[in-house]
Amino acid sequence: MTLIYAGLSLGAVYALVAIGYNIVFVASRSFNFAQAQLMMIGAFVAYTGYVTLGLPAIVVVVLAMVVVMLVAAILERVAVRPVADHQTQLITTLGFGTVLTGLAQLIWGSQPLDVPFFGAKEAMTLFGGRLYSFELGLIVLSVVLVAVIHVYNRRMMSGLAIVAMSQDDEAAVLRGINVRKLAFAAFAITGLLAGLMGFFIGPKTFAVATLGSALALKGFVALAIGGFGSFYGGLAGGFVVGLVEEHAARYLGSEFSNLSVFLILILVLMLRPTGLFGQIQERTV
């Protein structure tokens, strides 16, 4: 069970990246490849608030969420809105993420920084396995976040509007939906959530300038396994990647962990090209 908990908590980190990808993808049919770097900034802000400034946990959470939300808003204005083509936006958001990585190295250095967690410091025993409170927090956060997003997209008018945009943005405009405003809001929300996620992933991964690039690829793999546009798929894909990576490292060796993950990705895409929860949308021409 200890190995399973380790895989689920690591998979929750990847799932949180995939959730951020999906929020932007559903709202604007584009990808924000700087999402993992936003979470990295959240982890660094959490370290600064906790260790450097000595702020209370709730203040650190709010600070991280606000700071990263502002960074995400700048990202949308600078790297997304001026570019009309979605393929080009892949390059501009990737470039923005590279800039964030460089700024993180300049401000906080290149050494990993230990981000404290407000919960218990000792490992707990649960169903015969050992895990830390921040690992349990990561798993719970990812599951709750997906459930909340699902309810929001089904019950709230703005959530229904975003779903309508994902189906046909031109028809959404004709129905009076402010597509540009909702797309900007999607980026701001991903920044808000990335700040919250950074507070939780920091104790698991440490705050380090290479964190963004390390999480970006695995988060995309989790999204591809689960299915583009599916939040439950991103959650399941993240857990699959985390479990495969931990078990492969334990039984085959750490050098086989990445290989095993991509073999699973190829196998899933061969059997279901749209991912585990992805759906093929048929449209009448």
Side-chain angles (χ1 to χ4, degrees):
M1 286 301 296
T2 301
L3 189 60
I4 293 177
Y5 289 145
L8 289 176
S9 60
L10 182 61
V13 176
Y14 301 146
L16 291 171
V17 179
I19 291 169
Y21 285 151
N22 259 336
I23 291 175
V24 172
F25 179 75
V26 170
S28 62
R29 287 293 163 181
S30 62
F31 284 101
N32 175 21
F33 275 129
Q35 179 64 29
Q37 281 78 7
L38 293 177
M39 294 174 62
M40 172 196 71
I41 295 297
F44 275 118
V45 173
Y47 172 84
T48 301
Y50 246 146
V51 178
T52 306
L53 302 178
L55 299 175
I58 185 63
V59 178
V60 174
V61 172
V62 174
L63 178 64
M65 293 172 70
V66 171
V67 169
V68 182
M69 182 184 67
L70 293 176
V71 175
I74 295 172
L75 163 65
E76 197 276 341
R77 293 286 183 172
V78 173
V80 177
R81 180 166 297 194
V83 182
D85 183 70
H86 291 326
Q87 285 75 24
T88 308
Q89 288 172 358
L90 301 179
I91 306 301
T92 55
T93 55
L94 182 62
F96 193 91
T98 303
V99 171
L100 290 181
T101 299
L103 289 176
Q105 288 180 326
L106 289 175
I107 297 173
W108 289 284
S110 58
Q111 296 300 316
L113 303 176
D114 186 10
V115 181
F117 191 67
F118 65 90
K121 304 298 187 295
E122 297 79 16
M124 64 182 73
T125 302
L126 183 64
F127 300 116
R130 302 280 289 174
L131 78 164
Y132 291 95
S133 57
F134 62 82
E135 293 178 321
L136 180 61
L138 280 170
I139 298 171
V140 172
L141 174 65
S142 59
V143 174
V144 170
L145 185 57
V146 168
V148 169
I149 292 174
H150 177 79
V151 173
Y152 176 80
N153 286 341
R154 295 296 185 274
R155 301 292 178 86
M156 304 298 292
M157 288 300 297
S158 56
L160 292 172
I162 291 176
V163 174
M165 288 168 50
S166 69
Q167 301 294 328
D168 192 326
D169 56 350
E170 293 182 1
V173 171
L174 294 176
R175 296 291 294 178
I177 297 175
N178 192 330
V179 173
R180 177 168 291 186
K181 181 179 179 180
L182 285 180
F184 175 78
F187 273 89
I189 290 173
T190 56
L192 197 73
L193 294 176
L196 175 64
M197 298 168 189
F199 176 80
F200 281 89
I201 69 170
K204 175 72 175 178
T205 63
F206 297 96
V208 60
T210 58
L211 178 62
S213 57
L215 294 182
L217 181 59
K218 294 294 180 61
F220 188 81
V221 171
L223 184 62
I225 290 176
F228 294 97
S230 172
F231 291 99
Y232 285 109
L235 178 65
F239 285 155
V240 168
V241 172
L243 288 170
V244 169
E245 188 172 333
E246 287 291 335
H247 281 79
R250 171 65 176 81
Y251 294 109
L252 300 177
S254 58
E255 64 272 15
F256 290 98
S257 60
N258 288 334
L259 177 62
S260 301
V261 167
F262 286 102
L263 285 176
I264 294 296
L265 172 63
I266 293 172
L267 178 62
V268 169
L269 294 183
M270 287 177 61
L271 298 176
R272 283 188 60 86
T274 58
L276 296 176
F277 291 82
Q279 296 180 353
I280 299 176
Q281 297 182 355
E282 297 182 358
R283 300 182 62 183
T284 302
V285 179

